[in-house]
Amino acid sequence: MNLTQRRVPQVFELGRSSSIRSFKSIDSSSITHGIHVFQCPDAVGIVAKLSDCIASRGGNILGADVFVPENKNVFYSRSEFIFDPVKWPRLQMDEDFLRISKMFDATRSVVRVPKLDPKFKIAVLASKQEHCLIDLLHSWQDGRLPVDITRVISNHDRFPNTHVVRFLERNSIPYHYLGTSKENNREDEILDLVQNTDFLVLARYMQLLSGKFLQRYRKDIINIHHGLLPSFKGGHPSKQAFDAGVKLIGATSHFVTEELDAGPIIEQMVERVSHRDNIQSFVQKSENLEKQCLAKAIKSYCELRVLPNEENRTVVF
């Protein structure tokens, strides 16, 4: 293939100093940060139209990431920009990007202004193990996760004086214990509780969600798997990996689909282990990876960095 024909990821970065110079006449307190992601059939002039849309309203692009995969007629982009909301009102911004979306027959065009838009509302589902749940709660409390946790749902009962329950009570986050059985998976009750959420997080929730539930919920669900998918699926993957004598362990955060542990991957992390590790240190390292991997996936999702690519893959800017 001729080098001029090859499609490769492109990254455009503008220096912070140029951004500041463009806004000298504006009170810095009024400058607001926006994010826009775009997916459409590939065509000539998409980047130019997106850039002109922002510039024509007095905005300034801080960075733009573009990806056009080889031999695929699809265009992906993610842009970060600053603007004055007085000169470019939020509703007008939606209209401007919608016009470009229609122009290029886009399948996805999402704009987000973190300071103006509501935080994503999520519910967290967990079972007995608490390391991921506790990490998410503390990250939320510290402001490191841009979400509102509406409730925690568990199939494991927790006593009133436990750390998790006390934390939830102090922060007015409802806790729902829904014990499951082969005869009753409590999915109807779960669905009622999560209707007003933007997406769900499974923080080591050790129950399968049925295809019927996924079809009725119709929004994204992010799961954490304690292993490097597609290896070591199912139960006790840490023990599977330990018994196999692996030298690298990992964690995988992915979207939930009807097929077990086979959804599109958002984030993966690894750490080296050796013959000196016992099962306790092995599990501890694995749990640390799970916490980091799940938090990173949620943050990437909220920052509009994750786009679907084909049936079971993702583009993560």
Side-chain angles (χ1 to χ4, degrees), residues 218-273:
R218 298 178 63 84
K219 301 172 189 174
D220 290 325
I221 304 174
I222 297 176
N223 186 36
I224 184 66
H225 177 84
H226 43 175
L228 275 180
L229 293 173
S231 300
F232 308 123
K233 292 184 180 181
H236 307 292
S238 290
K239 188 174 187 307
Q240 292 180 49
F242 180 78
D243 291 343
V246 301
K247 303 306 180 190
L248 284 175
I249 59 171
T252 302
S253 189
H254 64 94
F255 290 114
V256 174
T257 59
E258 291 190 44
E259 186 178 352
L260 175 64
D261 295 335
I265 292 171
I266 304 170
E267 183 64 54
Q268 291 187 297
M269 293 184 177
V270 296
E271 182 171 340
R272 183 167 293 280
V273 293

Side-chain angles (χ1 to χ4, degrees), residues 121-123 137 140-141 147-153 163-176:
K121 292 182 179 180
I122 71 169
L137 292 175
W140 165 81
Q141 184 182 51
V147 298
D148 280 333
I149 299 177
T150 63
R151 62 192 71 251
V152 172
I153 303 169
H163 171 70
V164 167
V165 172
R166 290 199 308 268
F167 181 98
L168 297 175
E169 288 175 346
R170 285 196 306 270
N171 291 279
S172 302
I173 300 175
Y175 177 75
H176 305 271

